[in-house]
Amino acid sequence: MTTPDEEQEQPAMHSGRGSSTDDDHAAPGSEPIAVVGIAALYPAARSVADYWRLHTEAVGEVDRETGRPAAGTGTTSTTTGTAGPPEAGSGSGSGSGLDGIEVDVARFGIPPAQAASMARMQLLMLEAARQCLDDAGYAQRPLPSERTDVVTGTCFGLDRQYANALRVEGSRYARDLERATAEAGTPGPGPGGAGARAAEEFRSAMLRRLGASPHDRIGEMASTIPARVAAAFKLRGRTLAVESADATSYLGIAHAVDSLRCDLTDAALVLAGQCHEGRSVSPVPGSSSGSAALPLSEGVGALLLKRLSSAVRDGDRVYATLVDCTLRQDARPGVFRHSSSTPRQRETIDASWRRTGAPAASVQYVECAGGGVELLARTYSGLLEAASAVAVGSVRDRLGDTYANAGLAGVSKVALALYHRRLPAQRAAALGELPVSGTPLRTVVEAEDWQRPAGGGPRRAVVGGASVTGTLCHLVLQEYAQDADRSQLQQPQQPQGRGARLRWHGTGPEPIAVIGYGGRFADTADADAFWAATLDGRDHIRPVPDALLDRELYHSPHALSLNRSYAEQGAPMPVPRTPPPGVRIAPGRYEALDAAQRVGLAVADELFARRGTVPGTLTGTGLVAVGSNLGLATERNAHTGRCLDVFEETVRSLDTLQGWSRDEVEPLLKSVRELYGEPGPADRPTMLDGCLASGVAALIANEYGLAAVPVAVEAACASSLAAVDMAVTRLRTGAADYALAGGVELPCNARDMILCSALGLLSHDKITPFDLAADGFTPGDGCALFLLKRLRDARRDGDRILGLLRGVGASNDAKSLIAPDAAGQSRAMRQAFEQVDFAPAAVDYVEAHGTGTRVGDRVEVAAMAQVYSGPRRAPLELGSAKSFFGHTFAAAGAAGLLRALLAVGARTLPPNANLRTLNPELELDLIPARVSTGAQPWHTGPGRPRRAGVSSFGTGGINYHLLLEEYTDSHGL
């Protein structure tokens, strides 16, 4: 193992571009990751045993719409019951795929009041998690709870998101129904006539039909799924959800591998699923290389991963080991589409095999999982010209395209094949999709024994796929055997996070340099205006415009309601109407983008402009990780627009109109359609672009020509810091040379305000963190992004270093999806301090989460008291950006980090707004700490850099804490 200084002297191995790449940093010797548990929930397989039989038995034709074997071609066992509330999203799931799976919610300790609000995917993933842990042998023995992460991956909206959006939009339809009924000329008896009665009955009927509940905002969030899994199985590690189109499960696996190799966790439960939830994006377009378009198929799977040394120590059964996980980006502007670049695919494959230290010719099986099937097979055909025939297959032959789940399904299949030492069969009718004729590749028509390599060594296989956003994925797996004659790759090693390679002078993981930033919030067009507004001391909260909150329909100030908000204050910002200068996006495509995507693109442009350099100077492999709501408004609206039949079916069943003839009702419905408006076309080429949450990151990568893998990250209100954590971890493992990370969300809208109001989360006036009058938060729109590099790389490249990220801690309290927990928050803080060489007393300022709720503020300060209390040179300063710009949800952590970064650069402690009477229940003297209402100079002792903590806590007990340090000349390597 080389030392950091020795590595720095080694030449780069990436096309001579002089950048320190993943090929250098993840040198052969990285510890293999053991697959110790598998779960499989598919239409034709409801267990691991079913799944293996599915891939080894000849089942003939498979129905691609349902994933089930066609009639008369074979069967597998199934379970009866229901996986979710009927018609929850009024989507296309009825009668397909996984509807027959029964999940007992009581088994997982779920309160009845919350059960009705759970997304169907949440139920399925709970069951998959149970199966996976049972399969790994952890039904009776416990996992290391505080060191087990839960990572989930889904794509597009969840049924609960669709149902909530449909419910909110139903109020507008009800108003149009009332008007059209009144104009029909048959008002009928009673107050208000038939129109008013029909509208009110319609609203009530929709509430019943969609199963409305005050907990809907919690139940619809993608991050609630891993949080629920963590709570059910008492796992307290990192908790987050990711989305990267059809590379989603690859990103989830990659993040788990990074965390394991950095010794941030001891085990990772990775789940990925795809279901028929909505009506907006099916079928998914095929690749630009000519592959046939496939409809989405349903499937949910899980993997339990551990370092091989841990698995051996704990006596786990090891299915196979994952020795490399390489992700690359083929950055091309324009409409999202699969890569057709054989050179870029070849570069990805070569990098992956270099990282394993084994020759590519040692592969015996290639699994094409996800998009880019033809490209991967074609590239390997050229790569293996001199090799003997290599088996090739695709999980699609049995499952169809399970999209977000595809990579995990492929890994599960290959891990089982390596464990059983059998090559799975390929369905005959699917052979045409794999170009094997006249190549070194072959297909396996009937399952056969997997022979050992002629030259010795372990059996090896590849799982590869691609995403419409441009990502190329390549994983190398090999069998696990304890034979003494096995080869960086089979013997247990020390966790790489504890080796010399990832530590900085023996004092902790290498600092990550912040070398660029951008931000946009209410009344602030850029980060400079954001800082000026902070120093001004006045908040930017005001009544939300009628265009965002139709008060006639959605505002009722005096009572809790499932259809109205009692609050009307917010901190909205305008959405860009044109692309940034220099970014060429066709008007039709830009119009189809989601508002969050437009804002993210504008902030990225600010970041690059501020640096004064073009993005092309960022060489090597990158990552763009953006905290986001994984269900974008554009996709929800597209679904809702295609659900007019649901509204009309409900109208036909109303008692108010039972006396009307069909000849009277149908013209009425036509009149309502004319008032309400028809949906746009569903088959526009740009439709997919605006529906992907990862599209925010993909736009930045592709339009600016960055070879940076895009991913959306959701960890509730901690999403931004979860994205930063992913970036920091990927940089420290050497899997990325640079990263853009941050978050964006625009919650100043009727839907979000109604759902938060129903649970009583909003302030009746304005958010007032730490104040005696604190009664809830106020929503705010916002986005902030940061450009990151390893410190030594930033110094080598001559970058202006604006601050250093020294540690990121994360935890889940695993107790409540709603109530904050001081113990969980303090665990995240302590984990951050485990990564640095200074004590909490050396931190001068904490940018708090500061939700402005009495309980939330009190618990947060209590958690800080557990970590930060003790003798100090001066009281710890506390503050919260939310007092100025409201709660920006997924962007909240990014807002806090931006404020702390600018404060360090300006050497100024920032003030708080709206603090009139400090809440005495906070007991700040116990730390001691204070909350200032005016800006103050930030003084430190001689030679001591300024340091700040940034907290971000999310619904579901998700906790993140980041430590930021001023960069000084003393930070040498």
Side-chain angles (χ1 to χ4, degrees), residues 31 260-263 307 309-310 493-499:
E31 181 174 8
L260 286 163
R261 285 183 169 162
C262 275
D263 194 32
R307 288 183 295 274
S309 56
S310 300
Q493 303 172 31
Q494 289 297 316
Q496 292 303 302
R498 293 172 180 162

Side-chain angles (χ1 to χ4, degrees), residues 456-467:
R459 297 168 176 84
R460 292 195 181 101
V462 159
V463 179
S467 165

Side-chain angles (χ1 to χ4, degrees), residues 916-953:
R916 295 176 177 83
T917 305
L918 187 68
N919 184 357
E921 295 179 358
L922 300 180
E923 299 182 307
L924 295 181
D925 290 343
L926 296 179
I927 296 179
R930 66 188 174 201
V931 182
S932 299
T933 57
Q936 302 176 48
W938 189 340
H939 298 297
T940 61
R944 188 170 73 83
R946 291 163 179 83
R947 297 185 178 105
V950 181
S951 287
S952 199
F953 309 129

Side-chain angles (χ1 to χ4, degrees), residues 670-737:
K670 181 179 179 181
S671 298
V672 180
R673 272 192 179 242
E674 292 172 354
L675 288 172
Y676 183 82
E678 293 281 353
D683 57 352
R684 291 176 295 170
T686 58
M687 185 66 206
L688 180 64
D689 291 17
C691 291
L692 288 172
S694 60
V696 180
L699 278 167
I700 295 171
N702 292 339
E703 298 304 323
Y704 286 102
L706 304 176
V709 174
V711 60
V713 180
E714 210 252 84
C717 306
S719 297
S720 294
L721 290 196
V724 170
D725 180 51
M726 176 180 284
V728 167
T729 305
R730 202 140 183 82
L731 286 166
R732 284 177 172 166
T733 61
D737 299 304

Side-chain angles (χ1 to χ4, degrees), residues 99 114 119 178 352 400 408 425 447 455 474 523 601 747 751 779 840 857:
D99 281 352
Q114 297 179 18
E178 181 175 359
S352 182
L408 190 145
H474 189 269
D523 303 326
L601 197 61
R751 174 190 166 277
D857 289 350

Side-chain angles (χ1 to χ4, degrees), residues 734-766:
D737 299 304
Y738 65 88
L740 271 79
V744 59
E745 190 159 1
L746 312 175
C748 289
N749 60 75
R751 174 190 166 277
D752 283 306
M753 294 181 72
I754 289 170
L755 294 179
C756 290
S757 176
L759 205 54
L761 300 176
L762 300 183
S763 170
H764 288 76
D765 186 20
K766 293 183 178 182

